[in-house]
Amino acid sequence: MRSDQKKEISKILNNCLHLINTSQATVEDCLARYPEYRKSLEPLLRTYALLKVKAASEGKISPAFKTKTKSLFLEAAQAQPTLTSLLSRVFSSSREGIERIREKSRRWALPATKIIAVNLVILLLLGSFTVVASARSLPGDSLYKVKAFVERVQLSLAFGSPRKSNLNLRFAQRRLEELEKIAGKGKQQVIEATLSALEENLTQASEYLNKVPPDQGKKLQKEYQKVTRQSKAVLERVYLKVPQPAKGAIEKAIEKSQQYQKAPSHLEPSPKEKLEAPQKTPGKSGEKKDKSKKVHPGKSGKK
Amino acid sequence: MELKELVQRAKNYDLEALGQIYELFVDKIYKYIFFKIGDRTEAEDLTEQVFLKMLQAIRNFRPRKTPFSAWLFKIASNVVTDYYRTHSRYLKVPLEEATEAESESVEERVLRDFSSEKLYMAITKLTGEQQNVIILKFLMGLSNLEVAQILKKSEGAIKSLQHRALNSLAKILKGGSRGRKK
């Protein structure tokens, strides 16, 4: 096909797409309008019609997801100014110091580049101090919002189900540490909010674990079971310390933590694997695995 | 309120403006990602990431340099690229989301029943640029101008690109169906 002919078809195609898209014509109408180009146009317009129908029936966002993500998004947006204002508050206290350095530098005639470098070092140190300080904050503290926001961002930036699952487990462990620390002095509301954050972390860890291919999930599954066992133990200790009104929520959380202890079904050994495991005829690999437990005749029997 | 003003307010983390921007773009971003990767749950995760990344970067957005939609789609495109980098071994095909359209004709029904898997696999065989134009223009319904801004090309280039993309897709679909019958 010559290039000017190609250009002509591109132009006609664009015109037809517009007419079909605005319901001013059908595929047939367009083909009838340009009979000399029918052979080239028909497969293009039929493919377009297929895409149009698929676009209308697929790729629709679920309303529940849309609402959930919007609130997460706005929550994160709310935390942004908090983070910014916290940083600026910390920075403003350092402004006096910076002014003093400037004053001295004028007296000592420090070069401008050195002043900038000193300022930058101070700003960087103070900025990272705020985030580090937030990491030690507890539910109910003013810096806790920053901690929660940093976690959400970390989760959203983690790629792949194994990483997301693992990160949720780490955060679940943080929630358990926090619960132990606030149990005796925490308000009922704060304790309940921490419990629901723990539940969310464990649920998400389990959901992402479900998506991990079986050959990659064994280690993660062990970690998951370790954290859920830990969760039950911590919650039982916390139950003894929390004020009476919060005990009901802890009881519910203990019940749920028992459900979490079940491993995702696709990572459990199949009944066939379970049956076969102890009956395996010892081959080379079998001998290696069982060395510590079995006494074999001959040389290995010395052990 | 115009998008320009919304973006200006969003740069100061104005929640109302951010909420409106989210409503304006969430369906489009989700659809773009869904047709790029073919998995609903992963598309939801990645959509969430796009908006969080937007939040982190919005202060640095320069409206004079790029239109906002093009900037946002660039974030989505980067998120998809990162996803492919880590998930190339576990790519899935789209779920059949057969939603019955109202007043559907017989012809439309036949088209809808055409396997999404087959279509998705065909789209993945196109070049990156062709995939983008098919998704942005035909599956998401953006105008030539919008596609041109997102892909940083002229409208004329988009017209010839859509021609080439439809042509390649038609050939793949024709060849693919023959291949499967064997």
Side-chain angles (χ1 to χ4, degrees), chain A residues 10 14 54-55 58 66 156, chain B residues 22 31 49 112 114 116 163:
Chain A
S10 289
N14 194 55
K54 285 289 166 194
E58 288 188 20
K66 205 169 159 179
S156 86
Chain B
Y22 174 86
K31 209 163 200 175
Q49 275 185 36
R112 186 168 59 77
F114 182 91
S116 298
H163 181 188

Side-chain angles (χ1 to χ4, degrees), chain A residues 37-203:
Chain A
Y37 291 111
R38 188 181 184 101
K39 204 179 155 197
S40 310
L41 268 183
E42 191 167 5
L44 305 178
L45 294 181
R46 299 268 177 233
T47 307
Y48 168 67
L50 169 69
L51 289 168
K52 203 171 172 233
V53 170
K54 285 289 166 194
S57 64
E58 288 188 20
K60 281 184 184 160
I61 197 164
S62 100
F65 162 77
K66 205 169 159 179
T67 318
K68 190 190 124 206
T69 306
K70 188 176 181 182
S71 61
L72 166 74
F73 172 63
L74 293 179
E75 210 178 296
Q78 233 170 346
Q80 283 282 352
T82 313
L83 186 63
T84 318
S85 72
L86 278 166
L87 288 174
S88 69
R89 229 183 294 160
V90 179
F91 290 160
S92 69
S93 64
S94 75
R95 257 178 228 143
E96 285 175 31
I98 292 170
E99 269 310 310
R100 247 177 274 143
I101 294 172
R102 277 205 193 110
E103 186 56 36
K104 282 189 179 178
S105 70
R106 263 177 233 129
R107 271 188 246 152
W108 299 340
L110 271 180
T113 47
K114 276 194 184 172
I115 301 168
I116 293 167
V118 169
N119 286 356
L120 270 177
V121 169
I122 291 172
L123 289 176
L124 280 173
L125 284 174
L126 291 173
S128 43
F129 169 76
T130 310
V131 176
V132 171
S134 80
R136 284 194 294 267
S137 65
L138 291 173
D141 291 353
S142 56
L143 274 178
Y144 194 73
K145 262 190 176 179
V146 179
K147 184 179 184 177
F149 174 70
V150 170
E151 283 185 8
R152 279 184 192 279
V153 172
Q154 272 180 283
L155 275 173
S156 86
L157 297 182
F159 272 108
S161 303
R163 279 193 208 169
K164 282 191 191 258
S165 178
N166 197 33
L167 209 50
N168 269 298
L169 289 178
R170 297 282 78 79
F171 294 157
Q173 284 178 315
R174 278 190 197 170
R175 298 296 86 78
L176 291 171
E177 283 168 20
E178 289 162 4
L179 274 169
E180 285 211 278
K181 284 178 187 164
I182 61 169
K185 49 193 173 182
K187 288 179 190 164
Q188 183 190 351
Q189 246 183 336
V190 178
I191 292 172
E192 283 175 359
T194 314
L195 282 172
S196 77
L198 170 71
E199 191 188 329
E200 197 185 326
N201 284 141
L202 288 175
T203 309

Side-chain angles (χ1 to χ4, degrees), chain B residues 3-166:
Chain B
L3 180 62
K4 221 176 180 182
E5 199 187 329
L6 283 177
V7 172
Q8 204 48 45
R9 283 174 52 187
K11 287 181 85 168
N12 296 318
Y13 303 114
D14 178 309
L15 292 187
E16 199 195 326
L18 283 164
Q20 284 189 44
I21 289 178
Y22 174 86
E23 290 291 344
L24 271 175
F25 287 98
V26 68
D27 290 26
K28 291 176 184 171
I29 293 292
Y30 171 81
K31 209 163 200 175
Y32 172 75
I33 296 175
F34 175 81
F35 283 115
K36 274 270 187 186
I37 65 169
D39 181 88
R40 205 172 49 186
T41 321
E42 298 286 1
E44 287 182 349
D45 273 2
L46 298 186
T47 305
E48 202 172 285
Q49 275 185 36
V50 170
F51 282 95
L52 286 175
K53 286 196 173 182
M54 177 202 109
L55 207 54
Q56 288 174 293
I58 197 157
R59 277 187 173 245
N60 301 326
F61 169 67
R62 301 276 171 269
R64 277 184 204 163
K65 265 178 116 184
T66 333
F68 181 76
S69 58
W71 178 75
L72 192 58
F73 274 101
K74 184 74 194 158
I75 296 179
S77 158
N78 290 344
V79 165
V80 169
T81 309
D82 284 345
Y83 173 83
Y84 272 120
R85 215 171 279 150
T86 46
H87 287 69
S88 52
R89 285 172 57 205
Y90 300 106
L91 280 182
K92 292 172 187 173
V93 290
L95 299 166
E96 295 281 347
E97 288 182 351
T99 32
E100 192 93 22
E102 283 170 29
S103 66
E104 196 178 45
S105 70
V106 178
E107 192 188 359
E108 280 172 337
R109 195 182 171 81
V110 170
L111 290 174
R112 186 168 59 77
D113 289 344
F114 182 91
S115 158
S116 298
E117 182 187 342
K118 218 185 276 181
L119 177 63
Y120 174 71
M121 294 313 283
I123 292 176
T124 58
K125 285 177 189 164
L126 298 172
T127 65
E129 272 190 342
Q130 290 175 352
Q131 274 184 37
N132 279 334
V133 84
I134 290 282
I135 294 172
L136 294 169
K137 169 120 199 231
F138 303 123
L139 292 169
M140 293 172 56
L142 301 190
S143 70
N144 282 347
L145 177 65
E146 286 171 307
V147 179
Q149 284 175 339
I150 292 169
L151 300 183
K152 290 185 178 165
K153 286 183 181 292
S154 68
E155 277 191 78
I158 296 301
K159 281 178 196 168
S160 40
L161 185 57
Q162 74 181 5
H163 181 188
R164 287 200 302 276
L166 278 177

